[in-house]
């Protein structure tokens, strides 16, 4: 959330107040599912995952199910925005806000990443691996910085800026998820080894 709060400042600096206004509305609308559905999934996951880790069983399948559901739900929401964003903006707002629909589309990769990473975001804390979250935050800042430099160098439009940053975030999120998955597997192996020694 702290990293995403930097986006409006970067957009304002790169594209001016008018584009920043369109971006602010587009990000508010596109991240509504993240704030409601994603946050609800995250809360349930945190409770169940913590219980499973304490019980020393079932937490890898729980992680896998939540991850799969988060990705699927994020993609379904993204498809809905892809189909309905123009009508949604036209119905709710003045025609002057029409460019917002294009920015909602450009934000879809970022929205999907925020959605499914948010669903499993508490796993590193439960496993006492806060360094993973720190590394993820640094990666997001690095991506934002790199895309900002590319925008200045090649004079990218705001849509291209959002697409580029979103796609880079998506790729980075796959790496982060793979590392987190492997960390959980290692935790399971350690528990199995401990039980074998005790047995």
């Amino acid at each position: 959330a702290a990293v995403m709060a930097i986006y409006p400042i970067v957009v304002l600096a790169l594209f001016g107040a008018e584009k920043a206004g369109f971006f602010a509305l587009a990000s508010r609308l596109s991240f509504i599912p993240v704030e409601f559905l994603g946050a609800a999934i995250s809360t349930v996951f945190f409770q169940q995952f913590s219980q499973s880790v304490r019980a020393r069983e079932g937490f890898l399948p729980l992680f896998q199910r939540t991850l799969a559901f988060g990705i699927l739900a994020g993609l379904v929401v993204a498809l809905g925005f892809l189909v309905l964003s123009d009508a949604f903006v036209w119905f709710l707002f003045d025609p002057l806000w029409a460019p917002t629909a294009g920015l909602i589309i450009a934000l879809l990769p970022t929205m999907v990443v925020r959605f499914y990473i948010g669903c499993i975001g508490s796993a590193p804390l439960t496993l006492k691996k806060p360094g993973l979250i720190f590394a993820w935050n640094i990666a997001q800042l690095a991506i934002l910085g790199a895309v900002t430099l590319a925008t200045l160098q090649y004079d990218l439009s705001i849509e291209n800026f959002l697409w580029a940053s979103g796609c880079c975030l998506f790729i980075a999120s796959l790496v982060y998820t793979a590392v987190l998955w492997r960390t959980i597997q290692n935790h399971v192996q350690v528990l199995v080894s401990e039980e074998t020694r005790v047995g």
Side-chain angles (χ1 to χ4, degrees):
V3 173
M4 292 306 300
I6 300 173
Y7 265 82
I9 299 172
V10 174
V11 169
L12 178 61
L14 290 175
F15 304 105
E18 182 180 0
K19 297 290 187 182
F22 291 134
F23 170 82
L25 179 59
S27 61
R28 291 281 183 174
L29 294 174
S30 61
F31 294 152
I32 285 175
V34 177
E35 300 298 332
F36 288 93
L37 181 57
I41 295 171
S42 176
T43 300
V44 174
F45 171 75
F46 177 69
Q47 294 171 344
Q48 294 184 351
F49 193 75
S50 298
Q51 292 172 357
S52 296
V53 170
R54 286 195 297 269
R56 296 189 164 200
E57 60 182 8
F59 49 90
L60 181 57
L62 175 61
F63 171 81
Q64 294 168 336
R65 289 195 304 270
T66 305
L67 175 64
F69 182 79
I71 292 173
L72 179 61
L75 292 175
V76 169
V77 171
L79 181 61
F81 274 124
L82 188 64
V83 173
L84 300 173
S85 61
D86 283 322
F88 188 59
V89 172
W90 177 85
F91 179 74
L92 289 178
F93 303 103
D94 187 276
L96 292 174
W97 290 98
T100 302
L103 297 187
I104 290 175
I105 301 301
L107 277 166
L108 290 183
T110 303
M111 186 277 293
V112 171
V113 169
R114 284 197 65 193
F115 192 98
Y116 91 82
I117 290 295
C119 290
I120 59 172
S122 59
L125 295 177
T126 305
L127 296 172
K128 298 180 181 179
K129 299 285 186 180
L132 292 177
I133 296 177
F134 178 73
W136 169 239
N137 289 335
I138 294 299
Q140 292 179 84
L141 287 173
I143 288 169
L144 181 58
V147 176
T148 298
L149 291 176
T151 300
L152 293 171
Q153 180 72 26
Y154 300 105
D155 195 27
L156 300 180
S157 67
I158 185 172
E159 290 83 2
N160 288 335
F161 168 81
L162 295 176
W163 272 112
S165 59
C167 290
C168 289
L169 282 173
F170 184 77
I171 293 170
S173 74
L174 297 179
V175 175
Y176 174 68
T177 302
V179 171
L180 184 53
W181 191 315
R182 184 59 184 166
T183 300
I184 296 173
Q185 286 180 323
N186 289 339
H187 193 76
V188 171
Q189 291 172 357
V190 169
L191 293 179
V192 170
S193 299
E194 290 177 353
E195 291 175 357
T196 301
R197 287 198 301 270
V198 171

